Each structure stands twice: as C-alpha cells, then as structure tokens.
Amino acid sequence: MNRRRKREKPDAEIDVGAFADIAFLLIIFFILTTSIMRSTGQEVSLPQAQTPEDRQVDEKTPSVNILADRILFGEDEENMDRVSLEELRSKLFQLNMHDAEDQDRMIIVEVAEEVTYEMYFRVVTLISDAGGIVALVEAQ
Amino acid sequence: MPVRRRKKVKMMLPLASMGDIAFLLIIFFMLVSTFMKDTMDYDPATGADLRELQSPEISVVVDQEGKLWLQGLEAGVGQLADAVENLVGQRRHDTPVHLSVHKDLKRPDYMPVIEALSEAGVRVLMVGLQESDS
C-alpha cells in the first residue's frame, strides 16, 4: 500500500500591503485638509437675562460710548470724556472690578450704528480683561 | 566537489502593524477634523491681550456678507437663542460658544447675534487674532 503523501500546508496569508497603502493615502488626505488651530480671543461676560428691559442700572454705572470716530467714557452721560483705547484701559483697571460684586462690575456699552465689529471687539475685550460685565443697551 | 545550493530565504515584511498604526491615525484625524458644510468667509477682528480659548462646543460665525452660521450651517438670527439653548441643554453656563464675526460688519449685523447669545445665557467667547507687536 502506498503511503499517503503528506498534504502540503497551504500558505494562508492575507496580503495587507494594499491595505496600508489605502490607509496612508487617507492619512495624507486628512493631514492636508485638517487645520489644527488654537483660537485666541476673550471670554466676554454678558448679563444673562431673558428680559433685558427689566434690568436696572445705577445712574452712576460707568458707560462707554463707541462712536464711529471716537470713544467716550464716564459715569455721567452729560460729562463724558473722549478717551483713547489705552486711556480707557487704564481707567477701567482703576475701577478694580475683578474683586467687586456683579452689580459693581457692570459697564454700559452704547454702540453707534456705523461702528465696526473690530472696534466693538477691542473695547469689549478690554472691559472683560479689566473684569467688567458688558451691559448691552438697546437702541432707543 | 559537490556544490551546495544555498537555500533561498523568503523575505517578508510584516505590514499588518503598519496598517493598524495607519488606521489609528485616520481615526485621530477624523475625530479632530470638522468639515465645513459651506463656505464662510470672514476676517477676524484683532485685539490686544487675547488668550488661547478652550475648544468650542458651539460655533457661531457671522461672515462678511452678514450671514449667520451655527455649527457650520446657515441659520437665522431670530431662531439663534432657541437653537443654541437646544444645543447646550442644561449645561448652558459652562458651554463655551465661540463667536467669530467679520471685522468690518456694522452694528446692525452683529449686535442682534450678541443679544441672542446673551438671551440664551451661554458663555460667549469672542474669537479674534492677537495684535502683533510690530
């Protein structure tokens, strides 16, 4: 009787070379299309209210008027000083708002129609940096 | 003298682990990528003393045409407060909302958006570029 020949073991292996190629192509796609960017900015404290008209502000609340060509700052609407951004910064920091109660941190910000967001952003981030809460005023 | 034939050595590179690494990288990039649904063109405002902001959970953009985009989708200002409230749910006070506005827009374009976010009661992080010292 003939001895049976030992059956040769089949070489069972999945070719994963192409797999890796596809994967690396996908990686290249994601690297090219992803932009890992850290945003910079400022957290702005806004009064959180459903009915802003119910909020009362003290007459002595400091206010900032942003007009197209100038910025006014003062505690009295009749007597507001024209200030530069640097002057506004030092006046705001003099108010020591970081340790104050919420109602003493309010800064009324009035913005004229033609004021750009860039100017508004600069003033508002300055107020937040000084510890103030930006009180929004609706146009009358 | 008999000549011995040298046995052929079968060379094989184990590529399976390479594929594993590649797929891990793909998963990473898929998780960190956010695909813009449409085009939003805007130039951010610049400011001094800006800080690095934490990653946004909600992004609100007002582009150079004054169009409002919530999470990459065009939205209306009238529904913004409700839409943001629905997105944040109960975590409104600790959910950072990134607000990016085109720097040249005028008050009627950006103020209603800020008022709506104030109404929604979320943490507003205004996005801008740090002014260069030079």
Side-chain angles (χ1 to χ4, degrees), chain A residues 11 13 23 30 34 38-44 47-48 89 111 113-118 122 129 139, chain B residues 10 12 22 29-30 33 45-46 49 51-53 93 103 105-107 110 118 123-126 128 131:
Chain A
D11 202 8
E13 219 172 67
F30 279 113
T34 304
R38 281 259 163 212
S39 304
T40 53
Q42 182 76 261
E43 179 165 357
V44 176
Q48 293 161 357
R89 166 191 292 278
V111 190
E113 289 270 318
E114 62 275 19
V115 171
T116 59
Y117 179 73
E118 173 107 341
R122 280 165 183 260
D129 205 25
Chain B
K10 208 177 175 186
M12 248 211 187
F29 280 111
M30 284 175 84
S33 296
T46 52
D49 299 327
R51 300 185 180 115
E52 202 169 270
L53 299 175
H93 297 299
K103 62 180 186 177
L105 289 182
K106 302 284 162 62
R107 198 188 89 145
Y110 60 81
S118 165
R123 285 177 56 208
V124 179
L125 308 180
M126 287 186 172
E131 205 170 38

Side-chain angles (χ1 to χ4, degrees), chain A residues 11 13 15-20 22-24 26-27 29-31 33-34 36 38-50 89 109-122 124-125 128-129 136-139, chain B residues 10 12 15-16 18 22-23 25-26 29-30 32-33 35 44-53 55 85 92-93 98-99 101-108 110-111 114-115 118-119 121-131:
Chain A
D11 202 8
E13 219 172 67
D15 184 19
V16 288
F19 234 174
I22 296 164
F24 278 106
L26 283 170
I27 288 172
F29 165 75
F30 279 113
I31 288 174
T33 56
T34 304
I36 298 174
R38 281 259 163 212
S39 304
T40 53
Q42 182 76 261
E43 179 165 357
V44 176
S45 301
L46 301 170
Q48 293 161 357
Q50 296 282 338
R89 166 191 292 278
V109 179
E110 287 190 65
V111 190
E113 289 270 318
E114 62 275 19
V115 171
T116 59
Y117 179 73
E118 173 107 341
M119 181 50 77
Y120 176 77
F121 177 79
R122 280 165 183 260
V124 161
T125 51
S128 291
D129 205 25
L136 305 170
V137 177
E138 284 187 27
Chain B
K10 208 177 175 186
M12 248 211 187
L15 291 172
M18 191 111 99
F23 276 106
L25 284 169
I26 289 171
F29 280 111
M30 284 175 84
V32 297
S33 296
F35 291 98
T46 52
D49 299 327
L50 301 183
R51 300 185 180 115
E52 202 169 270
L53 299 175
S55 306
E85 273 180 50
R92 59 164 65 176
H93 297 299
H98 277 203
L99 173 66
V101 180
H102 180 64
K103 62 180 186 177
D104 295 328
L105 289 182
K106 302 284 162 62
R107 198 188 89 145
Y110 60 81
M111 199 51 89
I114 294 167
E115 283 169 357
S118 165
E119 196 186 314
V122 288
R123 285 177 56 208
V124 179
L125 308 180
M126 287 186 172
V127 179
L129 287 179
Q130 175 65 41
E131 205 170 38

